[in-house]
Amino acid sequence: MEEKIKSKLSRYTDPTGEFSNRSLKLAEWYLKHKLLLQKIGKYILIAWCVVTVGYGFGYLGYYFSYGYFQDQKMASQSVALFQNYAKLQPMYGAKDLVVKDVDVYNSVSDLYDFVARVENPNERWVAKVTYKFAFSGGETSLATTVIPPQSARPIAFFGAAAGSYPVGARMVIEKIDWRRLNPHVDVDIKNYIAERSKFSFERFAFTPASRSAGILNNMIEFDLFNNTAYGFWDVEFYVELKDGGDTVGLIYLNVDKFKTEEKRHIDLRSFVDNLRVSDIVVWPVFDVFDGSEYMKAGE
C-alpha cells in the first residue's frame, strides 16, 4: 500500500507548475529530519560560542598578565626615540626683533622725532611691525613699518608733540606680523634685498640757516641715484643726518615714480636751531618684497 502511495506521489504533477516532485521529496526529508537538524545546529552554535568566548577570555588574560606591560614598555621606548617637535618648534619659528638705542631729536618748536635702531636677525622672516614710542608723560600714536630679514635700520616716528624734551623714551612694539619667505622662490635673500636697495648719492651739500644771509632754514641737498634694475612708484627713505660720527637727526623722504638709472636732485629743509651736518646716510625703508612697489616696464 505504501509503495502504491509513493508511486502515485512520484507520478504527481502540480497543475500550477509551481511545485515539483523534487520539492515535495525535499520537504518530506526535511520534516523527517527536522529534530535532528535542530540538534546539530544547536551543538554547532554551542561549540562556536565555547571556542570564540573562550579564546577571547584567554587572550584578555594573556594581555593583562603580559601584553599590557609590553605595550607600556614600547610606548616608553617610542617617546625616547622620537624628537619632541613641540620643543623644537621655536627653532623653526621667527626670532624676536632686537631693539637697540632709542634717541629723541628736536624737530621744530615743541615737536620731536623718535628713532630706534632695530635688527631683524631672521634669515627668511619679514617683520611687519606696528609700534609706538612711550615717554614720561605721554606716547606717540601707532605707526607701521617693514623690516626685511637679516637687516638692521632705524625705525622712526616724526613730529610727535610734547611740552618739553621727552624723558625716558622707549619703543613699544604693539604687534608683529611675520611673513615667511618661500625658500623655493627666494633662494638668495641677501642678494634679493641688495639688488633692490642699490641707491647712492653724490654732491652732498649742507647750508646752515643764516638770517644775515637770508637763509631761513637749514638746507640739505644731494643727488640721489636709482642704481637698481627696477622702477618704483613711491620709494620711502630715511635720511640720517650726521655731524662727525654722531647722528643729529633724521628726515623722512618720499620719491615718487623713481625709474631705474634715474637721478633726482633732493632738497630737504630743517628748522632745528644750530644744526650742523657733515655727512648723511640714506636708508631705503620700503618693502622690497611687496610687488605693488614696482613699476612695470613702460610705465
Side-chain angles (χ1 to χ4, degrees), residues 30-96:
Y30 173 74
L31 291 173
K32 288 181 178 180
H33 298 84
K34 181 178 179 181
L35 294 176
L36 178 62
L37 290 174
Q38 289 178 347
K39 289 181 180 181
I40 293 173
K42 181 174 66 175
Y43 292 142
I44 291 175
L45 181 61
I46 292 172
W48 174 257
C49 292
V50 169
V51 171
T52 55
V53 174
Y55 177 81
F57 279 109
Y59 186 80
L60 284 175
Y62 161 79
Y63 178 76
F64 285 112
S65 63
Y66 179 75
Y68 172 80
F69 301 101
Q70 290 296 107
D71 288 347
Q72 294 298 312
K73 183 178 179 181
M74 291 178 63
S76 300
Q77 291 176 346
S78 298
V79 172
L81 288 174
F82 290 99
Q83 294 282 358
N84 187 336
Y85 291 100
K87 291 183 178 180
L88 292 176
Q89 186 62 33
M91 297 176 59
Y92 299 99
K95 299 177 183 177
D96 292 336

Side-chain angles (χ1 to χ4, degrees), residues 3-18:
E3 291 180 359
K4 288 182 178 181
I5 294 173
K6 289 183 178 180
S7 176
K8 289 181 180 179
L9 287 174
S10 64
R11 292 196 305 270
Y12 173 77
T13 301
D14 181 18
T16 65
E18 297 179 358

